[in-house]
Amino acid sequence: MTRFLNRLIWGMAFVLFPKPGVHAQIAHNPIIYADVPDMSIIRVGDSYYMSSTTMHMSPGVPIMKSKDLVNWKIVSYAYDILDDTDDLNLNNDKNSYGKGSWASSLRYHNGMYYVSTFAGNTGKTYIYSTRDIEKGPWKALSFKPSLHDHSLFFDDDGKVYMVYGSGKIMLAQLKDDLSGIRPDIKPQVLIENASLVAGPNVGLPAEGSQLFKIKGKYYLFNICWPRGGMRTVLIHRADHIAGPYEGRLALQDKGVAQGGLVDAPDGRWFAYLFRDFGAVGRVPYLVSVQWDNGWPILGINHQAPDTIPLTINKPMMPGIISSDEFGRKPGERDLPLVWQWNHNPVNKLWSVKQPKGYLRLTTGRVDTNILTARNTLTQRTFGPECSAVTSIDVSGLKDGDRAGLALLQKKFGWVGVKAEGGKKFMVMVNAQGDSSIESPCIPLTQSRVYLKASCDFKDRTDKAYFYYSLDGRNWLPIGSALQMVYTLPHFMGYRFGLFNYATKTIGGYADFDFFRVSNNISSRN
């Protein structure tokens, strides 16, 4: 009881009377109210870097930077495309929804940055390295097999390992050049049943390994999910990398779990974790960490608080999600890093230079719906509510084309224009049921139209609404509300998507004038 009271008083004092020079503002969880799961975070000097999962999106494994652990900006990606395969290219009726690259491991060692990941659909483990994490270039290595939810680890003696597995956690030593597992050293069992410390009734066994070495001890973070319970943080520690390990349940609150540890320059420690948050996706949480007899104690009174004594969150997360007018100055990227393609793009079929100031999407094949269409350009949605507006010139559409603004997930919805029989129509498509339903068509007699999609994520409402406008000021609702649902086949929060696909003849194009996001869902804006 005395130890508990000391920790409680210390935590209250820290919030009320922070150290001189320490941020006195209060940040709110989730730190990022958007889909940024499976984080791995390092600190190099006074800068933090974070990698995350984006699976079937390209480019992939985003690298984000922060000075305060709260406000992040995408600065790089580990790769442009993960691999050149039918499923990653959306070819031959194959796709990589919910697959592609999963939980990454970000490390800094001897002046080099490393990020590793794995993909079940390719059966490979990937390691990317660079001396300049913000500008690259990245060197790529890959090998088989695919090591599930691994943690890349450089030990003090120069040996390099990967810790991986589900339930049974394994340790593999890598070759010195990181090109694969050492063939002369067989991977060994690190922990036979890492879920055991959470009790006997576990549904999802321990996974999501992240290994750290702090003051000579090894700390292994995992997640498990007891049946009838919630996502749970497990920590094991050992004096030697090969064990033996002793473990304990570290946090069981709100389902906040999976992640690891990071320290601040002023000596404070934090755990970075994430939480399933409905249709918006899996959102990052930070919790303070205190140390007790060599164990990290997560949260306040073993709970993940809604606030944390760090710099206040900037509204709308401009480094993660951003508006785009599609005008490019000389030397600027064709696409800002906030954008990702749904699967591998066909680069010859899109442009922000022809015509200047527009995003042009040109069709290159016939598709049946937006989930099979290539060259859908996406950004994250965000909470608690958000809207996206675009203006589109549809004069270049061919018969059978569909172009517009989507909310992308398995149960998708979109508003846009369809060209049919020499005419054009406004339409909304709702795929929340077993099949997609198209709203009654509204004849369109002009070449420019404005489209809007709004998302209400408050209190897990997860409703989306669609609108169109002929002048950009007066908005009219169209179709039905979309009940958004986070589905495991896609394993990703809803994304805004700009698209154009053909159902009859290729070569049609749609010109998007701008993409503007807002944290307001009023139909008047």
Side-chain angles (χ1 to χ4, degrees):
M1 179 61 72
T2 301
R3 183 176 295 167
F4 163 73
L5 289 175
N6 286 338
R7 286 202 302 266
L8 182 61
I9 292 169
W10 188 97
M12 292 176 64
F14 183 84
V15 172
L16 295 174
F17 309 106
K19 296 178 183 179
V22 173
H23 297 300
Q25 295 174 313
I26 299 298
H28 290 267
N29 277 317
I31 292 299
I32 302 174
Y33 206 145
D35 192 56
V36 184
D38 303 331
M39 307 95 70
S40 181
I41 297 180
I42 59 173
R43 179 177 63 83
V44 180
D46 64 351
S47 296
Y48 302 94
Y49 293 99
M50 172 170 67
S51 63
S52 176
T53 293
T54 49
M55 292 176 289
H56 49 275
M57 295 289 173
S58 293
V61 186
I63 307 297
M64 292 153 274
K65 180 182 181 180
S66 175
K67 290 290 188 178
D68 57 16
L69 274 176
V70 175
N71 299 289
W72 295 86
K73 179 181 181 180
I74 302 173
V75 295
S76 181
Y77 286 93
Y79 62 79
D80 289 326
I81 66 169
L82 179 67
D83 243 317
D84 185 12
T85 60
D86 277 351
D87 59 341
L88 288 165
N89 290 329
L90 272 175
N91 279 339
N92 297 320
D93 297 323
K94 295 182 180 180
N95 68 73
S96 285
Y97 288 116
K99 294 175 283 188
S101 59
W102 278 16
S104 57
S105 179
L106 182 61
R107 294 290 181 260
Y108 179 72
H109 178 68
N110 287 345
M112 187 76 73
Y113 295 89
Y114 299 85
V115 61
S116 60
T117 185
F118 70 102
N121 55 316
T122 66
K124 296 179 183 178
T125 296
Y126 300 82
I127 301 178
Y128 303 92
S129 59
T130 183
R131 290 200 176 275
D132 190 335
I133 193 171
E134 299 184 36
K135 297 180 181 178
W138 291 84
K139 176 185 175 182
L141 292 171
S142 64
F143 59 84
K144 292 186 176 182
S146 172
L147 301 182
H148 178 80
D149 275 12
H150 66 252
S151 179
L152 180 63
F153 186 79
F154 296 87
D155 211 345
D156 298 335
D157 59 4
K159 296 177 181 177
V160 189
Y161 300 91
M162 278 189 172
V163 178
Y164 63 98
S166 177
K168 180 186 292 186
I169 304 302
M170 305 291 296
L171 177 71
Q173 186 174 340
L174 300 186
K175 300 176 184 177
D176 292 343
D177 64 1
L178 309 185
S179 62
I181 298 173
R182 280 190 56 165
D184 57 326
I185 301 177
K186 183 179 179 181
Q188 67 182 88
V189 177
L190 203 62
I191 306 173
E192 182 66 38
N193 182 5
S195 312
L196 192 61
V197 292
N201 194 25
V202 170
L204 176 71
E207 59 179 20
S209 294
Q210 294 202 33
L211 182 65
F212 308 89
K213 190 173 186 180
I214 302 168
K215 294 184 178 180
K217 284 188 179 291
Y218 298 84
Y219 295 87
L220 177 63
F221 275 60
N222 290 104
I223 173 189
C224 74
W225 199 327
R227 288 188 177 91
M230 66 183 72
R231 290 160 41 88
T232 299
V233 180
L234 311 175
I235 300 178
H236 289 79
R237 74 175 185 182
D239 293 323
H240 306 281
I241 191 168
Y245 282 82
E246 56 177 329
R248 60 169 57 178
L249 190 153
L251 185 68
Q252 195 173 61
D253 182 48
K254 304 184 184 77
V256 175
Q258 191 161 338
L261 292 171
V262 64
D263 66 332
D266 61 12
R268 289 180 294 166
W269 285 86
F270 300 91
Y272 55 87
L273 308 162
F274 69 82
R275 181 182 182 185
D276 294 311
F277 226 52
V280 75
R282 297 179 288 171
V283 298
Y285 264 61
L286 283 175
V287 300
S288 298
V289 172
Q290 312 305 325
W291 290 87
D292 184 2
N293 195 28
W295 284 98
I297 308 302
L298 277 55
I300 304 300
N301 195 21
H302 299 291
Q303 294 181 328
D306 294 328
T307 60
I308 190 166
L310 287 167
T311 308
I312 193 169
N313 317 60
K314 293 179 182 177
M316 292 182 58
M317 304 167 291
I320 306 294
I321 299 117
S322 180
S323 299
D324 193 344
E325 299 297 315
F326 297 119
R328 299 292 180 260
K329 297 177 182 178
E332 286 187 329
R333 296 179 57 92
D334 282 352
L335 289 175
L337 294 171
V338 293
W339 290 110
Q340 286 178 288
W341 297 99
N342 179 26
H343 290 68
N344 295 343
V346 183
N347 289 321
K348 66 181 180 180
L349 296 178
W350 68 271
S351 175
V352 291
K353 298 175 181 177
Q354 298 292 332
K356 188 176 181 180
Y358 288 81
L359 167 70
R360 173 168 288 186
L361 298 179
T362 303
T363 63
R365 72 177 189 196
V366 171
D367 284 293
T368 56
N369 63 61
I370 192 173
L371 296 184
T372 66
R374 294 186 72 171
N375 281 19
T376 297
L377 189 60
T378 79
Q379 282 200 44
R380 295 168 177 84
T381 59
F382 58 96
E385 56 185 33
C386 62
S387 292
V389 174
T390 190
S391 171
I392 179 173
D393 185 327
V394 295
S395 57
L397 297 188
K398 289 192 174 184
D399 195 51
D401 285 0
R402 309 285 190 266
L405 173 63
L407 286 170
L408 188 64
Q409 233 272 2
K410 181 181 179 181
K411 296 181 181 295
F412 62 85
W414 63 259
V415 58
V417 176
K418 77 170 186 177
E420 206 73 47
K423 298 180 180 180
K424 296 183 176 70
F425 303 90
M426 292 301 311
V427 68
M428 182 264 170
V429 173
N430 187 320
Q432 72 181 41
D434 294 333
S435 59
S436 58
I437 298 175
E438 186 178 287
S439 70
C441 295
I442 301 170
L444 181 66
T445 58
Q446 61 190 59
S447 60
R448 178 178 290 268
V449 68
Y450 301 83
L451 310 173
K452 179 178 181 178
S454 297
C455 305
D456 182 359
F457 296 114
K458 298 189 304 294
D459 301 319
R460 308 287 180 95
T461 299
D462 292 350
K463 290 276 190 180
Y465 308 90
F466 297 86
Y467 308 88
Y468 75 99
S469 173
L470 301 179
D471 58 11
R473 296 183 299 274
N474 300 294
W475 292 95
L476 299 170
I478 185 171
S480 55
L482 173 70
Q483 182 62 62
M484 296 181 287
V485 179
Y486 185 97
T487 69
L488 290 183
H490 278 218
F491 218 170
M492 183 174 287
Y494 274 78
R495 291 229 169 187
F496 292 118
L498 304 179
F499 70 92
N500 177 31
Y501 68 90
T503 65
K504 295 180 181 179
T505 306
I506 67 171
Y509 58 86
D511 292 331
F512 295 84
D513 190 6
F514 57 78
F515 174 84
R516 296 171 185 162
V517 291
S518 167
N519 57 0
N520 190 317
I521 63 172
S522 170
S523 62
R524 296 187 298 273
N525 295 319

